[in-house]
Amino acid sequence: MKKIIATLLVLLAATTLVVGCKKARGTLIGIAMPETHVLRWVKDGNSLKAEAEKLGYRAEAQYGDANQATQNQQIQSFLTQGAKALVVGCINDGVSSVIAEAGRDKVVVVAYDRIIPNSADYDYFITFNNFKVGVLQAESIVNGLNLAEATTSAPKYITLFAGSPTDGNAFFFFDGAMSVLNTYIDKGVLKVVGPYPKTSADTANFQRIATENWQAPIAKTRMENLLNNDARNVTLDAVLAPNDTLGRAIIEACKADAKYRGKLPVVSGQDAEFDSAMSIKNGEQYSTVFKDTAKLAEAAILLADQALKGQAINIPGAVLASGDLAKIGDTGKKVVKTYLLDPILVTKDNLNVPIDAGFYDRTEAVKLQN
Ligand code: BGC
């Protein structure tokens, strides 16, 4: 009898799985990623598609080329094809009109990594603790410069860069970083060269250090200008760089300046891009922040799946943002349910962390380990 019941239970479980998959099968999830010039998004798109297919969905990934009109057309096309869920890493607030349309069609929208601003037409956001990303960047600078022991008679010099002012994350990264750096600046042991917004709320100065659409050439040119003007008579000890793509552009500009040939400033980053990991290994870039985007993708698809099935949302490995962090989910029109994953600081000392997480392919991992 026991055996029969056990067999029946197994059969029941198998049928539920098949039916679940069947229900998913044929259902389209549209994946709209913002750009390809920052490499992570290509990986994100691939991971999201694979995760959706694993759960039996049809999935298609499109890349918006940092152009919101292009991405809107892609989202529109997903809707025309009858997509039941959208996973969107948007470019700017111009996305809200298509999200409104998705909302009217009862399509499940998950804001992916970046908030969809100015919209009350969706419910879910999954990302990393972006304030903490900034904190980690700044902490690596504090360590790299040994700021705890710096004195006002021999202060260290830093210049500040921020990400795209059209990307909500850029504000959290910056404010997280300044929550750490301001202490040393106030003490007079760290001096800012160039514009100094104490927080992103100083809009005028924030705009001066921001990098439209995270474009590396913009950061490189700004760094070259700084080196020839504001930083002409000092030697920079550090640069707050918001991500790896911009960090490497900043390092390139420094390398072209004789003053930095022997000793580059401490430069932060984010994304654990392979080229930056190599640069860290070679003693150029100082740090990066590893965000396991494979886990983010898995979590985002699970979130979409649970929402599509009307189930309670339960995302292992993510915390529901609350208290101060809930503002990460403020679209300006509504506070959406926001799930946060944890970022990890990576320097030369723990480059193995993203490698061990399987973040790089085999060839890359071998290069990083040799
Ligand atoms: C992401 C970063 C990325 C940046 C540029 C941000 O929204 O969180 O990981 O480096 O966009 O693409």
Side-chain angles (χ1 to χ4, degrees):
M1 186 64 179
K2 255 192 190 159
K3 217 170 171 188
I4 297 178
I5 293 179
T7 318
L8 280 176
L9 279 176
V10 168
L11 274 175
L12 186 69
T15 327
T16 318
L17 203 72
V18 170
V19 171
C21 270
K22 261 203 185 138
K23 215 166 140 210
R25 187 154 302 138
T27 300
L28 176 65
I29 298 189
I31 299 160
M33 297 291 100
E35 62 208 25
T36 54
H37 71 269
V38 174
L39 280 178
R40 62 157 287 184
W41 298 108
V42 179
K43 233 184 204 174
D44 288 75
N46 291 337
S47 307
L48 283 162
K49 187 167 161 28
E51 291 296 335
E53 286 170 353
K54 228 192 257 173
L55 295 193
Y57 291 96
R58 270 191 312 129
E60 195 192 323
Q62 294 283 348
Y63 300 86
D65 203 18
N67 181 326
Q68 194 58 60
T70 304
Q71 188 179 63
N72 284 2
Q73 278 168 11
Q74 294 167 341
I75 293 177
Q76 196 75 59
S77 153
F78 287 142
L79 294 176
T80 311
Q81 291 174 62
K84 293 283 178 274
L86 296 172
V87 178
V88 181
C90 72
I91 296 140
N92 60 46
D93 59 3
V95 72
S96 59
S97 55
V98 277
I99 299 303
E101 205 171 317
R104 278 195 294 275
D105 293 350
K106 305 269 176 291
V107 169
V108 168
V109 175
V110 177
Y112 181 79
D113 193 84
R114 297 177 175 177
I115 197 149
I116 296 171
N118 258 324
S119 171
D121 301 308
Y122 69 104
D123 296 317
Y124 305 109
F125 179 26
I126 186 144
T127 187
F128 290 85
N129 180 338
N130 296 314
F131 188 85
K132 183 169 172 189
V133 168
V135 168
L136 295 176
Q137 291 172 333
E139 284 178 353
S140 80
I141 291 175
V142 169
N143 287 338
L145 298 183
N146 195 12
L147 279 183
E149 282 170 29
T151 56
T152 47
S153 52
K156 304 286 185 182
Y157 292 93
I158 189 171
T159 194
L160 307 171
F161 278 71
S164 182
T166 55
D167 176 353
N169 288 346
F171 299 84
F172 286 101
F173 300 150
F174 185 72
D175 288 333
M178 296 318 284
S179 75
V180 174
L181 296 179
N182 280 329
T183 315
Y184 298 93
I185 298 168
D186 292 347
K187 273 194 211 156
V189 298
L190 182 64
K191 297 230 180 272
V192 179
V193 178
Y196 169 36
K198 203 160 182 160
T199 70
S200 65
D202 175 355
T203 315
N205 279 313
F206 185 77
Q207 287 292 335
R208 286 188 190 108
I209 63 158
T211 315
E212 192 71 22
N213 278 329
W214 299 91
Q215 294 286 350
I218 297 180
K220 186 167 177 217
T221 306
R222 190 176 156 243
M223 189 65 197
E224 287 164 353
N225 289 337
L226 263 160
L227 293 173
N228 290 323
N229 295 288
D230 290 349
R232 203 190 167 92
N233 297 318
V234 290
T235 301
L236 288 169
D237 300 293
V239 182
L240 175 69
N243 78 352
D244 287 346
T245 313
L246 304 187
R248 293 197 307 276
I250 289 162
I251 290 173
E252 247 180 72
C254 290
K255 279 166 110 175
D257 185 320
K259 211 165 58 186
Y260 296 97
R261 220 151 276 156
K263 190 170 181 284
L264 284 167
V266 166
V267 178
S268 59
Q270 167 178 201
D271 292 336
E273 284 187 1
F274 170 71
D275 285 350
S276 282
M278 279 306 275
S279 174
I280 291 172
K281 179 185 175 216
N282 296 332
E284 294 193 341
Q285 188 172 323
Y286 186 77
S287 67
T288 184
V289 175
F290 170 48
K291 301 191 299 186
D292 196 337
T293 50
K295 291 225 170 86
L296 185 70
E298 190 184 355
I301 294 299
L302 182 63
L303 177 48
D305 180 56
Q306 292 171 349
L308 279 170
K309 292 177 177 157
Q311 296 170 350
I313 307 297
N314 173 22
I315 312 293
V319 294
L320 185 60
S322 61
D324 239 15
L325 285 175
K327 60 175 182 276
I328 294 186
D330 189 352
T331 76
K333 293 214 165 143
K334 152 183 188 179
V335 178
V336 290
K337 274 208 167 131
T338 297
Y339 297 86
L340 302 176
L341 276 72
D342 209 30
I344 301 172
L345 180 69
V346 172
T347 64
K348 212 174 188 166
D349 297 335
N350 64 342
L351 261 178
N352 65 299
V353 171
I355 300 174
D356 295 347
F359 193 63
Y360 305 107
D361 67 31
R362 228 198 199 343
T363 335
E364 290 173 339
V366 168
K367 283 188 187 148
L368 285 167
Q369 279 161 327
N370 282 333

